[in-house]
Amino acid sequence: MKSVITTAAVTAAALTALTTAQAAAVAPAGPTGPVGPVITCGTPGAPGYLLTRACVEVTGKQVRFYGVATANDPSHQVQSVGFTIQGAVSGGAPIAPVHPVVNIQAGGNVVGSAYGTATCGSTVTSTFSVNQPGWPASTATVSAVVIC
């Protein structure tokens, strides 16, 4: 009796393993590249009135260059501030800089957008800086590889 129970248990385990292996063999493969936008933000620029961070958003071969500005002072009052956003693609023409003026609120503020295209495997670089007369410079840079 004991050998029948042992044989049945071994057979059940073997069938379970076989079923699991077959299911894995016929499961469809997932996507090979990134799905949706891939966002990369760099380290903050030099501290000043604002904390700046450069970012790139890559969707396929499309690249968006932008920045994030955060007030360093908790009692910050909303004010209009000028910025410069520059983008570059390795092996390509530089992206024309944009100079948005944004009302900076307390908390993180997404600033501007410059757009470009890049080939798969190329490196893109974004530079984001405060461009406000009388304010200390705060420039941040980030680079990312375009994966398609």
Side-chain angles (χ1 to χ4, degrees), residues 64-130:
R64 175 181 169 227
F65 304 91
Y66 67 98
V68 176
T70 305
N72 279 333
D73 182 358
S75 64
H76 173 79
Q77 298 295 314
V78 175
Q79 59 190 34
S80 195
V81 180
F83 297 91
T84 298
I85 300 167
Q86 295 177 292
V89 177
S90 64
I95 308 301
V98 294
H99 305 282
V101 175
V102 177
N103 285 331
I104 298 298
Q105 314 270 339
N109 299 264
V110 175
V111 177
S113 293
Y115 295 92
T117 58
T119 58
C120 298
S122 62
T123 300
V124 294
T125 302
S126 180
T127 303
F128 176 61
S129 57
V130 174

